[in-house]
Amino acid sequence: MNPRERRAARHQPPNPEAEADPRPRRRKAPITVQQVVDTALGVVATEGYEALTMRRLAGALDTGPASLYAHVVNKADLDELLIGRLCAELVLPEPDPAAWREQIRGVCAQIRDQYLKYPGISRAALAMAPSDLETVRVTEGMLAILLAGGVAPQAAAWAIDAVLLYVAAYCLEVSIARQRSAQDDAAWVLDRDELRRRFTALPAETFPHTTRHAAELTAGEGHDRFDFTLALMIDGLAHR
């Protein structure tokens, strides 16, 4: 079975007859796709997504990189499996025409929380053509919510793409900021007071609006900015 066929087969329902193999295995504890994904997520959780390479993953599994390719086609395939695993944790509501905005915000918040558990992993979701069944399950659920809310099909389709892109970008920025803040010379990245002082110290004649509204520019607790931007996108969609 070539890599393309193997990848396609993974997205098909299990075939008990095909899984029954009377031949003895060479390995007493063969590596499984689930084990590959579990180990990869462990690497990301402790070291960040940038540290995840096929060689690093093989080392964590105590095997050679070539062994991974019996289960994962390439890094892009691994990325899809990782995002699919996170999507499997999401709970999709039954579409409610009266609460579709809150429902979409709720799904996006779930995705955000899953991404932030694994620093930088949202990078894997960017420019990815989803074919993992769990990933498609999420977009299917989001589409159902928007359609139930009266959003036109084309607008709904593009809106899903837009909000997922925003969620991924937001989580990536948070991960990068946290990583930089861990460095002694960049602790100010998450220090609102320090950032406000930098803004107010600018020459007012050159930056009148920045100095005057430094408090507004640096405002926000937790995910306030995320909630604001998401609401802005969804409300704009409702007014189309």
Side-chain angles (χ1 to χ4, degrees), residues 165-237:
L165 180 61
Y166 171 69
V167 174
Y170 172 86
C171 293
L172 183 58
E173 183 182 51
V174 170
S175 296
I176 293 174
R178 288 176 178 174
Q179 182 183 44
R180 289 178 177 174
S181 69
Q183 303 171 5
D184 293 339
D185 61 344
W188 64 271
V189 173
L190 296 182
D191 187 335
R192 184 182 302 117
D193 292 336
E194 173 63 21
L195 189 56
R196 188 184 301 119
R197 283 193 293 270
R198 287 174 179 244
F199 284 159
T200 56
L202 293 169
E205 63 276 10
T206 306
F207 305 99
H209 301 298
T210 300
T211 54
R212 181 179 306 165
H213 300 291
E216 289 84 357
L217 289 170
T218 57
E221 299 288 345
H223 297 303
D224 286 348
R225 290 175 179 243
F226 176 88
D227 295 336
F228 170 81
T229 304
L230 202 59
L232 198 66
M233 298 173 74
I234 295 172
D235 289 345
L237 182 64

Side-chain angles (χ1 to χ4, degrees), residues 16 39 92 96 124 134 163-164 209:
T39 304
L92 301 176
D96 182 353
E134 287 296 339
V163 297
L164 290 179
H209 301 298

